[in-house]
Amino acid sequence: MKTSSLMTLVVNHLMFVFRHNSKWPAASLLATLFLVLFLLSGCLAEPAKIQAYQGLTMGTTYTVKYVSSSEQDNFKSEIDSALKAVNQSMSTYIADSELSLINQAQIGHEQALSTELNYVLQLAQKISQESNGAFDITVGPLVNMWGFGPDGRVVKAPTDNEIQSLYDHVGYAKVNLHDGRLIKDTEIYLDLSAIAKGYGVDVIAELLEEKGIESYLVEIGGELRAKGLKPDGMEWRIAIETPTETFDRQIQKIIAVKDVGIATSGDYRNYFEENGVRFSHTIDPATGQPIKHKLASVTVLAQTCAEADAYATALMVMGAEDGYKFAQAHNIDAFFIVKNAQGFEEIMTPGFNNYLVR
């Protein structure tokens, strides 16, 4: 029986008692009535449970889970609309996106930026400066040349001369942001693929919080943000994959998280081979070439998913040794999986150890 129906029965019963017992003072009836209603509202409220939505965005999938006691909550249309807006602002795959129009603009063009794009560009520049260019949103031309951009795979790896020909157009210092505007001083091509998904996760997380949702898990293409606890009082559980190239996915570690953004960067899914040489999709801005070290994947925890997304890419470019030092110096919780002769070696910052499920 629903709470509302039971309350109606209780009220009717109390009124019957009152009508047939004039010795019961009205004040006592009201006090009893309010007490019963209070107890019923607390004890018989609908139990909280996990609601979930899924969909497509940014060339991948998204999943939104949140805890609510009302099945009437339905935010999917608003979620889809918010993600569409992020895509229309930051995608290089949409010809008339805000970012694509900047990339197509001539030198000397000044572009007033949306609040959202300005925020992401400012954050990207901050992390580029901190990482000494390991994270660099101007690396897009090199990403495209290597066949990992909107135009798809290359037939063969580019030559050193072809790579060098793009260097005049690469470098985060060439991004000129001023008072919410981008001033295109030189020919640059911006690629936000290493931060936009994380930002999209944050947008949905903030949308849920505006709706009064206090516990959720939002995921886009493997980038996540968690808040609060599940109905059973437990933290959200996240599996970190073993970086194998097979479709038989294995779990390396499980972490328990709340109130944090999570992102993983790896070279084990997106790559191509030529003459027995493997080329990762992660391009080192310093060399213009795919990374060649032994770091297979890195998982980062940060306050927002956009930060986790960008820092994971920066650490992946740096490699395990330099990446670990950077993470320690910047108080970043990170988990590195490194290839070795025996398989994989795990390296983690002390803070990350606190999230492991044992």
Side-chain angles (χ1 to χ4, degrees):
M1 180 180 294
K2 292 185 178 179
T3 302
S4 59
S5 300
L6 186 55
M7 284 185 177
T8 300
L9 287 176
V10 171
V11 172
N12 291 336
H13 178 71
L14 287 173
M15 293 302 295
F16 175 83
V17 171
F18 178 69
R19 285 195 300 268
H20 291 79
N21 189 350
S22 58
K23 295 181 180 180
W24 195 356
S28 298
L29 172 65
L30 290 175
T32 304
L33 176 60
F34 284 132
L35 176 61
V36 171
L37 292 178
F38 174 78
L39 293 174
L40 284 174
S41 64
C43 297
L44 299 178
E46 294 293 332
K49 58 183 179 181
I50 295 177
Q51 315 282 1
Y53 305 129
Q54 292 181 318
L56 300 174
T57 188
M58 302 182 188
T60 184
T61 60
Y62 77 78
T63 301
V64 176
K65 298 180 180 179
Y66 63 92
V67 177
S68 175
S69 59
S70 174
E71 294 184 0
Q72 303 304 314
D73 293 338
N74 192 333
F75 311 129
K76 189 174 190 308
S77 62
E78 293 177 78
I79 290 170
D80 288 334
S81 179
L83 290 174
K84 183 178 179 180
V86 173
N87 236 357
Q88 187 61 40
S89 177
M90 304 179 192
S91 174
T92 56
Y93 289 77
I94 299 175
D96 64 348
S97 73
E98 185 178 5
L99 188 69
S100 291
L101 294 178
I102 290 172
N103 287 337
Q104 296 162 19
Q106 300 297 313
I107 295 175
H109 177 75
E110 291 191 19
Q111 176 71 46
L113 301 170
S114 66
T115 301
E116 296 75 18
L117 182 57
N118 184 54
Y119 167 81
V120 171
L121 292 178
Q122 294 283 1
L123 177 61
Q125 290 299 93
K126 171 182 175 292
I127 295 174
S128 292
Q129 292 166 5
E130 290 177 354
S131 65
N132 196 29
F135 180 79
D136 190 338
I137 60 173
T138 70
V139 78
L142 293 169
V143 172
N144 295 342
M145 176 174 279
W146 281 96
F148 297 108
D151 296 332
R153 293 278 187 257
V154 294
V155 176
K156 62 178 181 178
T159 65
D160 289 342
N161 287 338
E162 289 173 328
I163 294 171
Q164 192 62 41
S165 69
L166 296 179
Y167 258 84
D168 288 341
H169 311 301
V170 174
Y172 71 91
K174 294 179 170 62
V175 181
N176 185 358
L177 301 174
H178 184 70
D179 290 338
R181 303 178 69 83
L182 185 144
I183 304 169
K184 200 165 183 179
D185 298 323
T186 185
E187 186 63 37
I188 54 173
Y189 178 95
L190 306 181
D191 184 343
L192 299 178
S193 59
I195 192 172
K197 285 201 301 292
Y199 175 72
V201 169
D202 292 331
V203 167
I204 302 309
E206 290 163 12
L207 185 155
L208 292 175
E209 291 182 23
E210 290 173 0
K211 300 294 185 182
I213 302 300
E214 298 180 351
S215 182
Y216 57 75
L217 181 66
V218 180
E219 178 264 342
I220 298 178
E223 321 298 17
L224 308 104
R225 181 162 152 178
K227 183 179 180 181
L229 302 174
K230 296 184 295 180
D232 60 5
M234 302 292 288
E235 295 173 326
W236 299 95
R237 301 294 178 98
I238 307 297
I240 299 175
E241 285 188 9
T242 302
T244 61
E245 299 165 11
T246 65
F247 290 102
D248 181 21
R249 297 188 171 184
Q250 304 171 34
I251 296 175
Q252 187 76 21
K253 282 287 185 289
I254 296 176
I255 56 176
V257 294
K258 65 173 183 177
D259 307 331
V260 71
I262 311 106
T264 297
S265 182
D267 76 337
Y268 56 99
R269 297 276 184 219
N270 195 2
Y271 66 93
F272 74 92
E273 292 186 1
E274 180 183 307
N275 298 325
V277 178
R278 174 194 172 106
F279 297 96
S280 167
H281 78 287
T282 303
I283 307 299
D284 185 347
T287 65
Q289 306 228 7
I291 55 173
K292 298 178 180 178
H293 51 63
K294 298 297 183 181
L295 179 58
S297 80
V298 57
T299 298
V300 168
L301 305 177
Q303 184 175 1
T304 68
C305 192
E307 292 172 294
D309 199 2
Y311 280 126
T313 297
L315 298 183
M316 193 69 206
V317 168
M318 294 178 192
E321 184 175 349
D322 290 342
Y324 182 86
K325 292 177 182 177
F326 179 88
Q328 282 282 76
H330 291 82
N331 296 314
I332 297 171
D333 295 326
F335 177 73
F336 304 82
I337 303 178
V338 186
K339 292 172 284 190
N340 61 25
Q342 289 72 43
F344 297 107
E345 174 189 4
E346 298 176 356
I347 304 171
M348 71 185 77
T349 58
F352 195 94
N353 185 63
N354 297 328
Y355 295 88
L356 294 180
V357 175
R358 294 173 173 82

